Amino acid sequence: NASEFTIGFYCEVTSAGYYDDVYFPTINKPLRGIDFNSLLYIPMGNILYKLNGTGNGFTEVKVFPTAITSIEVFGSNLFIAIGTSNQYWYMSTAEAFTESTATVKTFKYFKTVDATTPVLWGSDSDNTIRSNTNPVNGGAAWSGQTTLASSWDEITGLYSDSGLLYVTKEDMPYYLDSTG
């Protein structure tokens, strides 16, 4: 199982520099890091980094065309969302990258829900989510949209606990139960 965490500090570096003895060669703040294939990956701006072997700096893995909005482990891949205007990517354990060619392919957030069958959820607009049990190219199709309340309060994140999906919006949190 992948473990996730939030970096315990806020760091917006205006030029390359060190913070707590860790080198951050970027102008962007880090998003939630995630353990994948026994390595730590952290998105900062449009660049995906991984912690180097000595644990004292980050190595650039891939530069994307726009800012990364979410990363999530699902199955044997790391899924990378880059907003609702650009198709998502996924990376294998060998760090081979594939751009999605699915009919539905633009997401701001991803979250894995471990239920009887693991499901990857994604938010594809300000107030809609979709699910997929095999979101790689040639896999399963994304579900129809599930609408969460009004469109004027945007989705701000997806979370999972005890086999349920929780969706935070600007106005309040929601959860998706078995009734949809």
Side-chain angles (χ1 to χ4, degrees):
N1 288 344
S3 60
E4 65 179 77
F5 60 91
T6 302
I7 295 206
F9 57 86
Y10 174 82
C11 176
E12 189 161 347
V13 181
T14 55
S15 62
Y18 287 85
Y19 184 88
D20 258 2
D21 297 328
V22 177
Y23 181 69
F24 284 92
T26 182
I27 299 176
N28 302 290
K29 64 182 185 245
L31 293 180
R32 173 183 64 94
I34 199 162
D35 179 42
F36 173 65
N37 197 32
S38 299
L39 298 169
L40 172 62
Y41 290 88
I42 297 177
M44 289 186 248
N46 67 327
I47 304 171
L48 181 65
Y49 291 94
K50 70 178 175 182
L51 188 62
N52 67 22
T54 57
N56 65 357
F58 289 90
T59 303
E60 182 180 299
V61 179
K62 181 162 179 65
V63 177
F64 291 90
T66 189
I68 300 167
T69 55
S70 177
I71 59 173
E72 184 67 19
V73 175
F74 186 76
S76 60
N77 292 296
L78 177 68
F79 284 81
I80 302 119
I82 54 175
T84 57
S85 297
N86 296 282
Q87 48 270 54
Y88 68 88
W89 291 72
Y90 54 95
M91 178 183 82
S92 70
T93 56
E95 292 186 356
F97 288 86
T98 305
E99 187 174 22
S100 175
T101 59
T103 303
V104 176
K105 57 187 167 212
T106 60
F107 292 91
K108 187 170 184 181
Y109 302 109
F110 283 131
K111 189 61 185 166
T112 299
V113 175
D114 286 319
T116 305
T117 301
V119 177
L120 182 66
W121 286 89
S123 66
D124 64 337
S125 79
D126 290 345
N127 70 325
T128 59
I129 56 175
R130 295 176 183 261
S131 65
N132 197 318
T133 57
N134 187 10
V136 297
N137 292 342
W142 285 89
S143 70
Q145 289 181 320
T146 299
T147 302
L148 284 93
S150 65
S151 62
W152 57 79
D153 291 314
E154 290 185 31
I155 292 172
T156 58
L158 303 177
Y159 305 91
S160 175
D161 187 36
S162 301
L164 293 176
L165 177 69
Y166 293 87
V167 181
T168 53
K169 292 189 69 174
E170 292 174 325
D171 63 338
M172 62 188 283
Y174 296 81
Y175 71 94
L176 187 67
D177 63 15
S178 62
T179 66

